[in-house]
Amino acid sequence: MKGADAEDRAEAHLGTLGRVIVARNYRIPGGEIDLVSREADGTLVFTEVRQRRGARFGSAAESVTARKLTLMQRAALAYLTRELGRDDLPCRLEVLTIDGSAAAGVLAVHPVE
């Protein structure tokens, strides 16, 4: 799988932040969440992982479009309602980027406003 190495690194990084991964590659028609994690306080975090080996076509962060964020929100809402039975739980969206190789590139976490 093309993004599996980047997702593995992202998962390891989120673990160092004290998060527990509760789902990976959660899919619905028209949307996907790469990683769903839970913080110590119970907050769910829906993470899109983006990696770019080079900057020829822009950075990893620049590859996230408004449409992708909309689809991500839709998938997060579906996860809350279908998997947990409610949509009022504390949660947030973020994008984790890796610029460079999956193993050694620069990693950054960007909250989605």
Side-chain angles (χ1 to χ4, degrees):
M1 191 181 297
K2 186 175 182 182
D5 291 339
E7 288 176 8
D8 289 344
R9 181 166 177 218
E11 185 174 340
H13 177 73
L14 297 179
T16 67
L17 299 177
R19 297 193 202 163
V20 175
I21 302 300
V22 295
R24 187 166 169 166
N25 298 315
Y26 179 78
R27 289 183 174 90
I28 63 166
E32 177 191 9
I33 301 290
D34 292 324
L35 298 168
V36 181
S37 61
R38 185 181 311 275
E39 294 183 318
D41 67 0
T43 300
L44 286 171
V45 185
F46 299 95
T47 306
E48 170 70 11
V49 178
R50 288 293 174 116
Q51 181 216 355
R52 287 281 173 96
R53 291 186 190 277
R56 181 176 178 192
F57 298 105
S59 69
E62 292 170 325
S63 74
V64 181
T65 64
R67 176 168 166 67
K68 176 58 185 174
L69 294 177
T70 298
L71 295 175
M72 191 177 165
Q73 289 173 331
R74 182 183 304 156
L77 181 58
Y79 181 87
L80 291 170
T81 57
R82 293 178 186 174
E83 305 302 320
L84 303 176
R86 49 193 295 200
D87 64 359
D88 61 345
L89 297 169
C91 63
R92 70 174 186 277
L93 303 175
E94 69 185 12
V95 177
L96 186 148
T97 59
I98 302 173
D99 287 295
S101 71
V106 176
L107 187 146
V109 178
H110 310 271
V112 175
E113 302 289 325

